[in-house]
């Protein structure tokens, strides 16, 4: 493809003007209007869990699932290293070594989590617990999340399982 040196380049159009125009889809000559703005996936609550603005209940539920995966051996404990404080990681490692929620050798039973019950005793902390059914055994996992560091990232400061 050759370019003509005498021909001027087309003027640049600002992005705001481009997004306001209807566009043409490939293969058809019909004009389409842009889609309306989408609603957020998660409802926003007054008390949110960090930079992503997720409700604290969603934060504790998501962490509970990851924590149970580590305690049952489905994931390595190192995956939660950046989400725990030093004391919290020590408690988690002790629970993993003790095999508190380990499945019986050769069993393919998957853990079933009940609803995550959480509460906020203070604005800077969330305490949660969840019942875990593993075959015929029932366990309870409790943990505490607190915002730590300059970024205020939520980290697990304490873990207990029975």
């Amino acid at each position: 493809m050759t370019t003509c040196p005498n021909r001027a380049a087309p003027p640049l159009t600002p992005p705001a003007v481009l997004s306001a125009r209807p566009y043409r889809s490939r293969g058809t000559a019909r004009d389409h209007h842009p889609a309306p703005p989408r609603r957020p996936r998660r409802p926003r609550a007054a008390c949110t869990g960090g930079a992503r603005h997720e409700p604290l209940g969603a934060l504790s539920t998501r962490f509970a699932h990851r924590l149970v995966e580590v305690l049952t051996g489905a994931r390595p404990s190192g995956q939660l290293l950046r989400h725990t404080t030093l004391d919290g990681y020590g408690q988690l490692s002790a629970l993993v070594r003790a095999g508190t929620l380990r499945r019986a050798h050769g069993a393919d039973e998957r853990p079933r989590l009940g609803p995550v019950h959480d509460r906020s005793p203070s604005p800077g902390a969330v305490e949660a617990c969840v019942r875990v059914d593993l075959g015929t055994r029932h366990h309870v996992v409790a943990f505490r999340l607190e915002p730590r560091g300059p970024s205020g990232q939520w980290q697990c400061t304490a873990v207990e399982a029975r």
Side-chain angles (χ1 to χ4, degrees), residues 20-47:
R21 290 188 204 160
Y23 64 92
R24 294 185 184 265
S25 63
R26 293 183 185 174
T28 64
R30 294 181 292 162
D31 287 337
H32 295 279
H33 296 288
R38 295 187 334 177
R39 294 182 181 178
R41 290 184 186 174
R42 296 181 187 108
R44 296 196 177 188
C47 186

Side-chain angles (χ1 to χ4, degrees), residues 149-161:
S151 65
Q153 176 184 349
W154 288 87
Q155 292 185 332
C156 179
T157 58
V159 181
E160 189 173 335

Side-chain angles (χ1 to χ4, degrees), residues 48-147:
T48 59
R52 293 185 180 162
H53 300 291
E54 65 183 339
L56 290 176
L59 175 73
S60 58
T61 300
R62 193 175 64 179
F63 189 79
H65 284 276
R66 289 182 180 174
L67 186 61
V68 169
E69 287 176 343
V70 167
L71 291 173
T72 58
R75 291 180 180 245
S77 61
Q79 287 193 351
L80 291 181
L81 182 61
R82 70 184 186 124
H83 301 289
T84 56
T85 60
L86 187 58
D87 290 337
Y89 190 74
Q91 294 170 2
L92 175 64
S93 297
L95 290 171
V96 169
R97 281 192 306 271
T100 308
L101 269 79
R102 285 278 181 194
R103 294 176 261 194
H105 186 66
D108 277 339
E109 54 201 24
R110 294 179 54 155
R112 290 184 310 255
L113 275 70
V116 177
H117 301 281
D118 59 350
R119 67 181 194 87
S120 184
S122 66
V126 174
E127 295 175 345
C129 68
V130 62
R131 178 181 167 165
V132 180
D133 295 331
L134 191 60
T136 58
R137 298 180 300 162
H138 308 288
H139 301 277
V140 175
V141 177
F143 57 93
R144 181 180 175 95
L145 301 173
E146 295 179 19

